[in-house]
Amino acid sequence: MKRNYLFLILLFALLVNPFSVLFKNQSSYFSKGYNNQYESLKKAYYSSQYVNKHPTGSMPDETLEAFAGGIFLHGLNPILIVHDQPPLGRYIIALSILIFDNEKTIPVLLLIISAIGIYLISLQVLKNNFLALIPFGLFINAPMFLNKFSYIPLLEPIQFPFILLALYTFIIGIQKKRYIHWFVMTGLLIGFVISIRYFILGIVLTSSFLLYLLLHKKIKMSMILTSSLLMSLMILLISYFQTFKAGYSLIKILGIQKYIFFYHKSAFTQSFSYWDLLLFNKWHTWWGNNAVLSDAEWSILWPIAAAVIVLFVVFALFKKVKLNQAESVLLLWVTLYSMMLSVGYTSTRYFLPLIPFLYILATSFIVKLLLYSLGIKYVGKNVSKK
């Protein structure tokens, strides 16, 4: 009972800062009034850089997404406006407008779900309620996470909980004898991932799962997971229902994905600048004179966590520590996602699906290293002498 009280006290302490941000901005998140702003948003869009060669003003990304949600709600074919991403994320914003008359409400709830997802994955890795609070607390109190409540709605935070839940259901599935329904959920969640933003991230996520299964010679599991990806494709296609309704064929819809790929291919410049940003807070910009700036969201904990994870891998290779299943999955995800980010220019905006896992893996290794040095065997909630 005392442990439960202590846990709740620690949890409350970690949540004070995030909930103070929520409380401070509650009227912005939960009050009605979007429909009164729609016409002004529409006017701002058609005079912005997205439409006008000589714009009278610049429209921020979160304002663009707010307008897109509104016009999608009015039934516009999504490929007729801001078609650089699949449409599901903007339909989620539209749903928020429909239910709450506020474009921010559901995205804020999704951020809260993301925080829960981070804790659940931490628990799968660390196997201890108290230890799981360490990476959870570090992340939800970081500027990277808290700032997402200020710039809302954006597609990256909307996509984030689906990435987390896909990782969580896969990790649970590989530990169960009856895993099929877990893999079915994973396939559905990957469908949301590729339908909210550019599909390449879904490919990287799926690749990390399949690579884990193949490395562990789980051929049957890999076949089941591959089969579940048909549902992922179905969700992507369903998100284009207005485009089908307008008379576009399946081939043309798939061709849109090709266009999205070539659109984002322009980002394949300044390769490996990702590492300069992650390790040294040197952000290589891609506009103007390509200045190198610092980012206020950067934390010294990022390079420290990255260095700890490298040591973790070295110790694992020399069999000084053993990776559990969840750690192996997250390590593959972090590796493949880092490789993807290394291809072109980047910003901390794209670090959301990366940083919490650096914290989780680094925390796990430090705990194992400390216990190993003390001659203690770590067995989740309990410890015992070797």
Side-chain angles (χ1 to χ4, degrees):
M1 185 64 71
K2 289 182 178 179
R3 285 176 60 89
N4 292 337
Y5 283 132
L6 179 58
F7 175 82
L8 290 174
I9 291 169
L10 291 173
L11 179 62
F12 176 79
L14 294 173
L15 292 174
V16 168
N17 199 21
F19 273 104
S20 67
V21 173
L22 281 171
F23 182 78
K24 182 180 178 181
N25 299 288
Q26 59 177 319
S27 60
S28 173
Y29 302 147
F30 304 113
S31 62
K32 296 182 179 181
Y34 175 88
N35 288 313
N36 297 330
Q37 305 174 42
Y38 175 72
E39 288 302 324
S40 62
L41 289 172
K42 185 176 181 180
K43 183 179 179 181
Y45 172 76
Y46 283 106
S47 62
S48 73
Q49 71 274 22
Y50 295 102
V51 177
N52 203 318
K53 290 184 179 179
H54 303 287
T56 57
S58 179
M59 176 176 266
D61 288 350
E62 62 271 21
T63 308
L64 168 68
E65 301 303 345
F67 167 68
I71 202 166
F72 278 23
L73 185 60
H74 284 74
L76 182 76
N77 180 351
I79 69 168
L80 298 181
I81 186 173
V82 288
H83 46 276
D84 58 319
Q85 303 286 359
L88 185 57
R90 286 149 184 161
Y91 279 123
I92 290 173
I93 298 170
L95 181 64
S96 184
I97 296 167
L98 177 65
I99 297 174
F100 301 104
D101 191 21
N102 189 318
E103 76 280 10
K104 299 178 181 179
T105 307
I106 289 180
V108 164
L109 296 176
L110 289 173
L111 275 171
I112 294 171
I113 291 171
S114 297
I116 296 170
I118 290 167
Y119 177 76
L120 291 175
I121 293 174
S122 297
L123 193 57
Q124 286 298 311
V125 172
L126 294 158
K127 310 295 184 184
N128 182 285
N129 291 333
F130 289 91
L131 293 176
L133 287 176
I134 298 173
F136 168 78
L138 287 173
F139 185 72
I140 66 168
N141 286 281
M144 164 177 280
F145 182 72
L146 295 176
N147 287 346
K148 298 298 179 286
F149 289 99
S150 299
Y151 301 98
I152 198 166
L154 289 173
L155 295 182
E156 290 84 1
I158 292 173
Q159 184 192 49
F160 187 42
F162 297 101
I163 296 171
L164 292 168
L165 292 174
L167 283 160
Y168 179 72
T169 55
F170 179 77
I171 289 169
I172 294 293
I174 59 177
Q175 299 176 73
K176 301 287 186 180
K177 290 184 178 179
R178 296 181 179 180
Y179 58 84
I180 293 178
H181 67 284
W182 289 103
F183 281 11
V184 168
M185 285 190 284
T186 302
L188 289 170
L189 290 161
I190 291 172
F192 279 86
V193 171
I194 65 173
S195 302
I196 293 172
R197 288 187 63 243
Y198 178 34
F199 61 83
I200 192 67
L201 200 151
I203 291 176
V204 173
L205 187 61
T206 304
S207 298
S208 65
F209 296 161
L210 291 174
L211 185 56
Y212 171 86
L213 294 175
L214 293 174
L215 287 173
H216 290 80
K217 299 179 181 180
K218 298 180 182 290
I219 305 302
K220 184 179 178 181
M221 278 188 170
S222 64
M223 293 174 65
I224 297 294
L225 180 63
T226 302
S227 299
S228 75
L229 297 177
L230 292 173
M231 291 182 293
S232 307
L233 182 60
M234 286 300 298
I235 292 174
L236 176 63
L237 295 176
I238 290 170
S239 71
Y240 282 97
F241 71 95
Q242 287 286 8
T243 310
F244 281 114
K245 188 178 176 181
Y248 285 72
S249 67
L250 175 62
I251 299 300
K252 286 186 177 180
I253 300 295
L254 295 175
I256 293 168
Q257 307 312 303
K258 181 180 178 181
Y259 164 82
I260 292 174
F261 170 76
F262 281 106
Y263 175 86
H264 288 279
K265 194 176 179 181
S266 62
F268 295 169
T269 60
Q270 299 182 346
S271 298
F272 303 106
S273 61
Y274 153 75
W275 296 100
D276 225 7
L277 177 55
L278 177 70
L279 301 178
F280 306 110
N281 194 18
K282 293 182 178 180
W283 178 26
H284 296 255
T285 61
W286 56 90
W287 63 86
N289 60 355
N290 295 331
V292 179
L293 308 174
S294 60
D295 193 302
E297 292 187 351
W298 186 85
S299 169
I300 190 62
L301 292 177
W302 297 2
I304 292 173
V308 170
I309 291 169
V310 171
L311 287 175
F312 196 179
V313 173
V314 171
F315 272 65
L317 289 173
F318 285 95
K319 298 182 179 180
K320 297 296 183 180
V321 295
K322 185 177 180 180
L323 296 172
N324 62 35
Q325 290 174 301
E327 288 167 341
S328 298
V329 172
L330 294 187
L331 189 59
L332 286 170
W333 162 246
V334 166
T335 301
L336 294 182
Y337 189 59
S338 294
M339 290 171 63
M340 187 199 84
L341 292 179
S342 298
V343 171
Y345 61 71
T346 191
S347 76
T348 55
R349 182 171 173 172
Y350 307 121
F351 283 17
L352 201 58
L354 173 74
I355 300 303
F357 305 117
L358 294 185
Y359 290 164
I360 292 169
L361 289 169
T363 301
S364 182
F365 177 60
I366 291 170
V367 169
K368 288 183 176 182
L369 191 61
L370 287 173
L371 295 178
Y372 179 84
S373 64
L374 296 171
I376 299 173
K377 183 179 179 182
Y378 178 57
V379 287
K381 293 184 178 181
N382 303 300
V383 292
S384 62
K385 287 288 183 179
K386 289 182 179 178

Coordinates of all heavy atoms in Angstrom, one line a residue, residues 285-346:
T285 N 19.7 24.7 -41.4 CA 18.4 25.1 -42.0 C 18.5 24.9 -43.5 O 19.6 24.9 -44.1 CB 18.1 26.6 -41.7 OG1 19.2 27.4 -42.2 CG2 18.0 26.8 -40.2
W286 N 17.4 24.9 -44.2 CA 17.3 24.6 -45.7 C 16.7 25.8 -46.5 O 16.3 25.6 -47.6 CB 16.5 23.3 -45.9 CG 15.1 23.4 -45.3 CD1 14.0 23.8 -46.0 CD2 14.7 22.9 -44.0 NE1 12.9 23.7 -45.1 CE2 13.4 23.1 -43.9 CE3 15.4 22.4 -42.9 CZ2 12.6 22.8 -42.8 CZ3 14.7 22.1 -41.8 CH2 13.3 22.3 -41.7
W287 N 16.7 27.0 -45.9 CA 16.2 28.1 -46.6 C 17.2 29.3 -46.5 O 18.1 29.2 -45.7 CB 14.8 28.5 -46.0 CG 14.9 29.0 -44.6 CD1 15.2 30.2 -44.1 CD2 14.7 28.2 -43.4 NE1 15.2 30.3 -42.7 CE2 14.9 29.0 -42.3 CE3 14.4 26.8 -43.2 CZ2 14.8 28.6 -41.0 CZ3 14.3 26.4 -41.9 CH2 14.5 27.2 -40.8
G288 N 16.9 30.3 -47.3 CA 17.8 31.4 -47.3 C 19.3 31.1 -47.5 O 19.6 30.4 -48.5
N289 N 20.1 31.5 -46.6 CA 21.6 31.2 -46.8 C 22.0 29.9 -46.1 O 23.2 29.8 -45.8 CB 22.4 32.4 -46.3 CG 22.2 32.7 -44.8 OD1 21.3 32.1 -44.2 ND2 22.9 33.7 -44.3
N290 N 21.1 29.1 -45.7 CA 21.4 27.8 -45.1 C 22.1 28.0 -43.8 O 23.1 27.3 -43.5 CB 22.1 26.8 -46.0 CG 21.3 26.4 -47.2 OD1 20.1 26.4 -47.2 ND2 22.0 26.2 -48.3
A291 N 21.7 28.9 -43.0 CA 22.4 29.2 -41.7 C 22.3 28.0 -40.8 O 21.4 27.1 -40.8 CB 21.7 30.4 -41.0
V292 N 23.3 27.9 -39.9 CA 23.3 26.8 -38.9 C 22.9 27.5 -37.6 O 23.6 28.4 -37.1 CB 24.7 26.2 -38.7 CG1 24.7 25.2 -37.6 CG2 25.1 25.6 -40.1
L293 N 21.8 27.1 -37.0 CA 21.2 27.7 -35.8 C 21.2 26.7 -34.7 O 21.5 25.5 -34.8 CB 19.8 28.2 -36.1 CG 19.6 29.1 -37.3 CD1 18.1 29.3 -37.6 CD2 20.3 30.4 -37.2
S294 N 20.9 27.2 -33.5 CA 20.6 26.3 -32.3 C 19.1 26.2 -32.2 O 18.3 27.1 -32.6 CB 21.3 26.8 -31.1 OG 20.8 28.1 -30.8
D295 N 18.6 25.2 -31.5 CA 17.2 24.9 -31.3 C 16.9 25.0 -29.8 O 17.6 24.2 -29.0 CB 16.8 23.6 -31.9 CG 15.3 23.5 -32.0 OD1 14.6 23.6 -30.9 OD2 14.8 23.2 -33.1
A296 N 15.9 25.8 -29.4 CA 15.6 25.9 -27.9 C 15.1 24.6 -27.3 O 15.1 24.4 -26.1 CB 14.6 27.0 -27.8
E297 N 14.6 23.7 -28.2 CA 14.1 22.4 -27.6 C 15.2 21.4 -27.4 O 14.9 20.4 -26.7 CB 13.0 21.8 -28.6 CG 11.8 22.7 -28.7 CD 10.7 22.0 -29.6 OE1 11.0 21.0 -30.2 OE2 9.6 22.5 -29.6
W298 N 16.3 21.7 -27.9 CA 17.5 20.7 -27.7 C 17.8 20.6 -26.2 O 17.7 21.5 -25.4 CB 18.7 21.2 -28.5 CG 19.8 20.2 -28.5 CD1 20.0 19.2 -29.3 CD2 21.0 20.2 -27.6 NE1 21.2 18.5 -29.1 CE2 21.8 19.2 -28.0 CE3 21.3 21.1 -26.6 CZ2 23.0 18.9 -27.4 CZ3 22.5 20.8 -25.9 CH2 23.4 19.7 -26.3
S299 N 18.2 19.4 -25.8 CA 18.6 19.1 -24.5 C 20.0 18.3 -24.5 O 20.2 17.5 -25.3 CB 17.6 18.3 -23.7 OG 18.1 17.8 -22.5
I300 N 20.8 18.6 -23.5 CA 22.1 17.9 -23.3 C 21.8 16.5 -23.0 O 22.7 15.6 -23.3 CB 22.9 18.6 -22.2 CG1 24.3 18.0 -22.1 CG2 22.2 18.4 -20.8 CD1 25.1 18.3 -23.4
L301 N 20.6 16.1 -22.6 CA 20.3 14.7 -22.3 C 20.3 13.9 -23.6 O 20.5 12.7 -23.6 CB 19.0 14.6 -21.6 CG 18.9 15.1 -20.2 CD1 17.5 15.0 -19.7 CD2 19.8 14.4 -19.3
W302 N 20.1 14.6 -24.8 CA 20.0 13.8 -26.0 C 21.3 13.1 -26.4 O 21.3 11.9 -26.6 CB 19.5 14.7 -27.2 CG 18.1 15.3 -27.0 CD1 17.3 15.1 -25.9 CD2 17.5 16.1 -27.9 NE1 16.1 15.8 -26.1 CE2 16.2 16.4 -27.3 CE3 17.8 16.7 -29.1 CZ2 15.3 17.3 -28.0 CZ3 16.9 17.5 -29.8 CH2 15.6 17.8 -29.2
P303 N 22.4 13.9 -26.5 CA 23.7 13.2 -26.8 C 24.1 12.3 -25.7 O 24.7 11.2 -25.9 CB 24.7 14.4 -27.0 CG 24.1 15.5 -26.2 CD 22.6 15.4 -26.4
I304 N 23.8 12.6 -24.4 CA 24.1 11.7 -23.3 C 23.4 10.4 -23.5 O 24.0 9.3 -23.4 CB 23.8 12.3 -21.9 CG1 24.7 13.5 -21.7 CG2 23.9 11.3 -20.8 CD1 24.4 14.3 -20.4
A305 N 22.1 10.4 -23.8 CA 21.3 9.2 -23.9 C 21.8 8.4 -25.1 O 21.9 7.2 -25.1 CB 19.8 9.6 -24.1
A306 N 22.2 9.1 -26.2 CA 22.7 8.4 -27.4 C 24.0 7.7 -27.1 O 24.2 6.6 -27.5 CB 22.9 9.4 -28.6
A307 N 24.9 8.4 -26.4 CA 26.2 7.7 -26.0 C 25.9 6.5 -25.1 O 26.6 5.5 -25.3 CB 27.1 8.8 -25.3
V308 N 25.0 6.6 -24.2 CA 24.7 5.5 -23.3 C 24.2 4.3 -24.1 O 24.5 3.2 -23.8 CB 23.7 5.9 -22.2 CG1 23.2 4.7 -21.5 CG2 24.3 6.9 -21.3
I309 N 23.4 4.6 -25.1 CA 22.8 3.5 -25.9 C 23.9 2.8 -26.7 O 23.9 1.6 -26.9 CB 21.7 4.1 -26.8 CG1 20.5 4.5 -26.0 CG2 21.3 3.0 -27.9 CD1 19.4 5.2 -26.7
V310 N 24.9 3.6 -27.2 CA 26.0 3.0 -27.9 C 26.7 2.0 -27.0 O 27.1 0.9 -27.4 CB 27.0 4.1 -28.5 CG1 28.2 3.4 -29.0 CG2 26.3 4.9 -29.6
L311 N 27.0 2.5 -25.8 CA 27.6 1.6 -24.8 C 26.7 0.4 -24.5 O 27.2 -0.8 -24.3 CB 27.8 2.3 -23.5 CG 28.9 3.4 -23.5 CD1 29.0 4.1 -22.1 CD2 30.3 2.7 -23.7
F312 N 25.4 0.6 -24.5 CA 24.5 -0.5 -24.3 C 24.7 -1.6 -25.3 O 24.8 -2.8 -25.0 CB 23.1 0.0 -24.3 CG 22.0 -0.9 -23.8 CD1 20.7 -0.5 -23.7 CD2 22.3 -2.2 -23.3 CE1 19.7 -1.3 -23.2 CE2 21.3 -3.0 -22.7 CZ 20.0 -2.5 -22.7
V313 N 24.8 -1.2 -26.6 CA 24.9 -2.1 -27.7 C 26.3 -2.8 -27.6 O 26.4 -4.0 -27.8 CB 24.9 -1.3 -29.0 CG1 25.2 -2.3 -30.2 CG2 23.4 -0.8 -29.2
V314 N 27.3 -2.1 -27.2 CA 28.7 -2.7 -27.1 C 28.6 -3.8 -26.0 O 29.1 -4.9 -26.2 CB 29.7 -1.6 -26.8 CG1 31.1 -2.3 -26.4 CG2 29.9 -0.7 -28.0
F315 N 28.0 -3.5 -24.8 CA 27.9 -4.4 -23.7 C 27.1 -5.6 -24.2 O 27.4 -6.8 -23.8 CB 27.3 -3.7 -22.5 CG 28.3 -3.1 -21.6 CD1 29.1 -2.0 -22.1 CD2 28.5 -3.5 -20.3 CE1 30.0 -1.4 -21.2 CE2 29.4 -2.9 -19.5 CZ 30.2 -1.8 -19.9
A316 N 26.0 -5.4 -24.9 CA 25.2 -6.5 -25.4 C 26.0 -7.4 -26.3 O 25.8 -8.6 -26.3 CB 23.9 -5.9 -26.0
L317 N 26.8 -6.8 -27.2 CA 27.5 -7.6 -28.2 C 28.5 -8.5 -27.5 O 28.8 -9.6 -27.9 CB 28.2 -6.7 -29.2 CG 27.3 -6.0 -30.2 CD1 28.1 -5.0 -31.0 CD2 26.6 -7.0 -31.1
F318 N 29.1 -8.0 -26.4 CA 30.1 -8.8 -25.6 C 29.4 -9.6 -24.5 O 30.1 -10.1 -23.6 CB 31.1 -7.8 -25.0 CG 32.1 -7.4 -26.0 CD1 32.0 -6.1 -26.7 CD2 33.2 -8.1 -26.4 CE1 32.9 -5.7 -27.6 CE2 34.2 -7.7 -27.3 CZ 34.0 -6.5 -27.9
K319 N 28.0 -9.6 -24.6 CA 27.2 -10.4 -23.7 C 27.4 -10.1 -22.2 O 27.4 -11.0 -21.3 CB 27.5 -11.9 -23.9 CG 27.1 -12.3 -25.3 CD 27.4 -13.8 -25.6 CE 27.0 -14.2 -27.0 NZ 27.2 -15.6 -27.3
K320 N 27.7 -8.8 -21.9 CA 27.8 -8.4 -20.5 C 26.4 -8.0 -20.0 O 26.2 -8.1 -18.8 CB 28.7 -7.1 -20.4 CG 30.1 -7.4 -20.8 CD 30.8 -8.4 -19.9 CE 32.3 -8.6 -20.2 NZ 32.9 -9.5 -19.3
V321 N 25.5 -7.6 -20.9 CA 24.1 -7.4 -20.6 C 23.3 -8.1 -21.7 O 23.8 -8.3 -22.8 CB 23.7 -5.9 -20.5 CG1 24.5 -5.3 -19.3 CG2 24.0 -5.2 -21.8
K322 N 22.1 -8.4 -21.3 CA 21.2 -9.1 -22.3 C 20.0 -8.1 -22.6 O 19.4 -7.5 -21.7 CB 20.6 -10.4 -21.7 CG 19.8 -11.2 -22.7 CD 19.4 -12.5 -22.0 CE 18.5 -13.3 -23.0 NZ 18.1 -14.6 -22.4
L323 N 19.7 -8.0 -23.9 CA 18.6 -7.2 -24.3 C 17.3 -8.0 -24.1 O 17.2 -9.2 -24.6 CB 18.7 -6.8 -25.8 CG 19.9 -5.9 -26.2 CD1 19.9 -5.8 -27.7 CD2 19.7 -4.5 -25.6
N324 N 16.3 -7.4 -23.5 CA 15.0 -8.1 -23.5 C 14.3 -7.8 -24.8 O 14.8 -7.0 -25.7 CB 14.2 -7.7 -22.3 CG 13.8 -6.2 -22.2 OD1 13.6 -5.6 -23.3 ND2 13.8 -5.7 -21.0
Q325 N 13.1 -8.4 -25.0 CA 12.4 -8.3 -26.3 C 12.0 -6.9 -26.6 O 12.2 -6.4 -27.8 CB 11.2 -9.2 -26.3 CG 11.5 -10.7 -26.3 CD 10.3 -11.5 -26.1 OE1 9.6 -11.4 -25.1 NE2 10.0 -12.4 -27.1
A326 N 11.5 -6.2 -25.6 CA 11.1 -4.8 -25.9 C 12.3 -3.9 -26.2 O 12.2 -3.0 -27.1 CB 10.4 -4.2 -24.6
E327 N 13.4 -4.1 -25.5 CA 14.6 -3.3 -25.8 C 15.1 -3.6 -27.3 O 15.5 -2.6 -28.0 CB 15.7 -3.7 -24.8 CG 15.5 -3.2 -23.4 CD 16.4 -3.8 -22.4 OE1 17.0 -4.9 -22.7 OE2 16.6 -3.2 -21.3
S328 N 15.1 -4.8 -27.7 CA 15.5 -5.1 -29.0 C 14.6 -4.4 -30.1 O 15.2 -3.9 -31.1 CB 15.4 -6.7 -29.3 OG 16.3 -7.3 -28.4
V329 N 13.3 -4.4 -29.9 CA 12.4 -3.8 -30.8 C 12.7 -2.3 -30.9 O 12.8 -1.7 -32.0 CB 11.0 -4.0 -30.5 CG1 10.0 -3.2 -31.3 CG2 10.6 -5.5 -30.6
L330 N 12.8 -1.7 -29.7 CA 13.1 -0.2 -29.7 C 14.4 0.2 -30.3 O 14.5 1.2 -30.9 CB 13.0 0.3 -28.2 CG 11.6 0.2 -27.6 CD1 11.6 0.9 -26.2 CD2 10.5 0.8 -28.5
L331 N 15.4 -0.7 -30.0 CA 16.7 -0.4 -30.6 C 16.7 -0.5 -32.1 O 17.3 0.4 -32.8 CB 17.7 -1.4 -30.0 CG 19.2 -1.1 -30.3 CD1 19.6 0.2 -29.8 CD2 20.1 -2.2 -29.7
L332 N 16.0 -1.4 -32.6 CA 15.8 -1.5 -34.1 C 15.1 -0.3 -34.6 O 15.5 0.3 -35.7 CB 15.1 -2.8 -34.5 CG 15.9 -4.1 -34.4 CD1 15.0 -5.3 -34.6 CD2 17.0 -4.1 -35.5
W333 N 14.0 0.1 -33.9 CA 13.3 1.3 -34.4 C 14.2 2.6 -34.3 O 14.2 3.3 -35.3 CB 12.1 1.5 -33.5 CG 11.5 2.9 -33.5 CD1 11.4 3.8 -32.5 CD2 10.8 3.5 -34.6 NE1 10.8 4.9 -32.9 CE2 10.4 4.8 -34.2 CE3 10.6 3.1 -36.0 CZ2 9.8 5.7 -35.1 CZ3 10.0 4.0 -36.8 CH2 9.6 5.3 -36.4
V334 N 14.9 2.8 -33.2 CA 15.7 4.0 -33.1 C 16.8 4.0 -34.2 O 17.1 5.0 -34.8 CB 16.4 4.0 -31.7 CG1 17.5 5.0 -31.7 CG2 15.3 4.4 -30.7
T335 N 17.4 2.8 -34.5 CA 18.4 2.7 -35.5 C 17.9 3.0 -36.9 O 18.5 3.8 -37.6 CB 19.0 1.3 -35.5 OG1 19.6 1.0 -34.2 CG2 20.1 1.1 -36.5
L336 N 16.8 2.4 -37.3 CA 16.2 2.6 -38.6 C 15.7 4.0 -38.8 O 15.8 4.6 -39.8 CB 15.1 1.6 -38.9 CG 15.6 0.1 -39.0 CD1 14.4 -0.8 -39.4 CD2 16.7 -0.1 -40.0
Y337 N 15.0 4.5 -37.7 CA 14.5 5.9 -37.8 C 15.7 6.9 -37.9 O 15.6 7.9 -38.7 CB 13.6 6.2 -36.6 CG 12.9 7.5 -36.7 CD1 12.0 7.7 -37.8 CD2 13.0 8.5 -35.8 CE1 11.3 8.9 -37.9 CE2 12.3 9.7 -35.9 CZ 11.5 9.9 -36.9 OH 10.8 11.1 -37.0
S338 N 16.7 6.7 -37.2 CA 17.9 7.5 -37.3 C 18.5 7.5 -38.7 O 18.9 8.5 -39.2 CB 18.9 7.2 -36.2 OG 18.5 7.4 -34.9
M339 N 18.6 6.3 -39.3 CA 19.1 6.2 -40.6 C 18.2 7.0 -41.6 O 18.7 7.6 -42.5 CB 19.1 4.7 -41.0 CG 20.2 3.9 -40.3 SD 20.1 2.1 -40.6 CE 20.3 2.0 -42.4
M340 N 16.9 6.9 -41.4 CA 15.9 7.7 -42.3 C 16.2 9.2 -42.1 O 16.3 9.9 -43.1 CB 14.5 7.3 -41.9 CG 13.5 7.9 -42.8 SD 11.8 8.0 -42.1 CE 11.9 9.5 -41.2
L341 N 16.3 9.6 -40.9 CA 16.5 11.1 -40.7 C 17.9 11.5 -41.2 O 18.1 12.7 -41.5 CB 16.4 11.4 -39.2 CG 15.0 11.3 -38.5 CD1 15.1 11.6 -37.1 CD2 14.0 12.2 -39.2
S342 N 18.8 10.6 -41.3 CA 20.2 10.9 -41.8 C 20.2 11.2 -43.3 O 21.2 11.8 -43.8 CB 21.2 9.8 -41.5 OG 21.3 9.6 -40.1
V343 N 19.2 10.8 -44.0 CA 19.2 10.9 -45.4 C 19.1 12.4 -45.9 O 19.7 12.8 -46.9 CB 18.0 10.1 -46.0 CG1 17.9 10.4 -47.5 CG2 18.2 8.6 -45.8
G344 N 18.3 13.2 -45.2 CA 18.1 14.6 -45.6 C 18.1 15.6 -44.5 O 18.5 15.2 -43.3
Y345 N 17.6 16.8 -44.8 CA 17.6 17.8 -43.7 C 16.5 17.4 -42.7 O 15.6 16.7 -43.0 CB 17.4 19.2 -44.3 CG 16.1 19.4 -45.0 CD1 14.9 19.5 -44.4 CD2 16.1 19.7 -46.4 CE1 13.7 19.7 -45.0 CE2 14.9 19.9 -47.1 CZ 13.7 19.9 -46.4 OH 12.5 20.1 -47.1
T346 N 16.7 17.9 -41.5 CA 15.7 17.6 -40.4 C 15.6 18.8 -39.5 O 16.2 19.8 -39.6 CB 16.2 16.3 -39.7 OG1 15.1 15.9 -38.9 CG2 17.4 16.6 -38.9

